Amino acid sequence: MTILIDHSDHNDAGNDNVEKNVTEEETELVLDDGGFVAPHTNSFGHTFRDYDAQSERRRSVEEFYKTNHIGQTVDFVRRMREEYGKLNRTEMSIWECCELLNEFIDESDPDLDEPQIEHLLQTAEAIRKDYPDEDWLHLTGLIHDLGKVLLHSSFGELPQWAVVGDTYPVGCAFDESIVHHKYFKENPDFNSPSYNTKYGIYNEGCGLDNVFMSWGHDDYMYLVAKKNKTTLPSAGLFIIRYHSFYALHKSEAYKHLMNDEDRENMKWLKVFNKFDLYSKSKVRIKVEEVKPYYLSLINKYFPAKLKW
């Protein structure tokens, strides 16, 4: 496997002094014989998921979360799941979807400003290095963000706040660990007695599969995979639906809603999260060299064409 490291962005005149002083060792994705080694900083020279760092993206990221937290209501999520769960937009293969994502950059992500296909391959190849026998996990790394096609005009061109960003349950109280929690006060559900308690419309141990998550690419790709009868194990589907649920896998909020299957799958989500988060660097994967391998996995776990 060949990795090409591009550090040219650190020499741009518009970057601040902190970004200019980042060393190559800190920013590159290390994939050597010793396995994946997480870098110390992200593409901008800051620690990962630092929403307070004075970077050029901080202001836009915070504005994104303000809009997201106001708009993600129970009614909105139900409406989106019903509309997009029909899978009547188009038919295409997994790899065609990967290529479609090359047009987009995630505005909610403080760690990355590269097209999405870069992140998909970074994640998958890092997992492949450390877990060579878990091919389902390699494929999960490749496809976990494919739901971001919701940004495309043929999918309704949803606004970024309804596609990307951290996810969280709706229908119960918004946990304070959720990034930029203060903006939930403007959400119509915030003061609803039906939705603003610890359990809200749910019961203890009901299972996350019975919980409405804020709408976005995670839940959409989960629906696509499940309804197209993927043969990925349940842990793969769990990772796809909850990989942006940082309030759970970072802060351990909402554990009271989990069942035994959730707790078992959570072990794999925590493994995955290391690669999903810390592989975001200025890395180039030679796509044509790895493409045959991933096409073989797609053929193993998915039909040739999927309904989207």
Side-chain angles (χ1 to χ4, degrees), residues 95-151:
W95 193 262
E96 287 172 332
C97 189
C98 290
E99 293 177 332
L100 193 61
L101 276 191
N102 220 20
E103 301 176 23
F104 302 109
I105 292 174
D106 186 340
E107 292 179 359
S108 73
D109 196 336
D111 298 324
L112 189 68
D113 64 350
E114 297 294 334
Q116 288 302 301
I117 197 167
E118 298 283 343
H119 171 53
L120 300 179
L121 287 170
Q122 290 168 4
T123 304
E125 285 295 276
I127 294 171
R128 185 180 175 190
K129 184 67 178 180
D130 276 12
Y131 292 86
D133 299 326
E134 306 292 344
D135 66 353
W136 66 270
L137 192 58
H138 311 165
L139 182 58
T140 301
L142 180 71
I143 71 171
H144 74 284
D145 275 348
L146 292 189
K148 291 179 182 179
V149 293
L150 291 173
L151 296 167

Side-chain angles (χ1 to χ4, degrees), residues 29-49:
L29 173 64
V30 182
L31 291 173
D32 58 20
D33 291 338
F36 173 72
V37 179
H40 297 102
T41 57
N42 64 19
S43 298
F44 303 100
H46 303 295
T47 55
F48 287 89
R49 289 184 58 80

Side-chain angles (χ1 to χ4, degrees), residues 178-191:
I178 301 171
V179 64
H180 295 305
H181 177 273
K182 60 186 177 183
Y183 295 119
F184 282 120
K185 293 179 181 179
E186 299 178 57
N187 184 301
D189 291 350
F190 186 81
N191 293 312

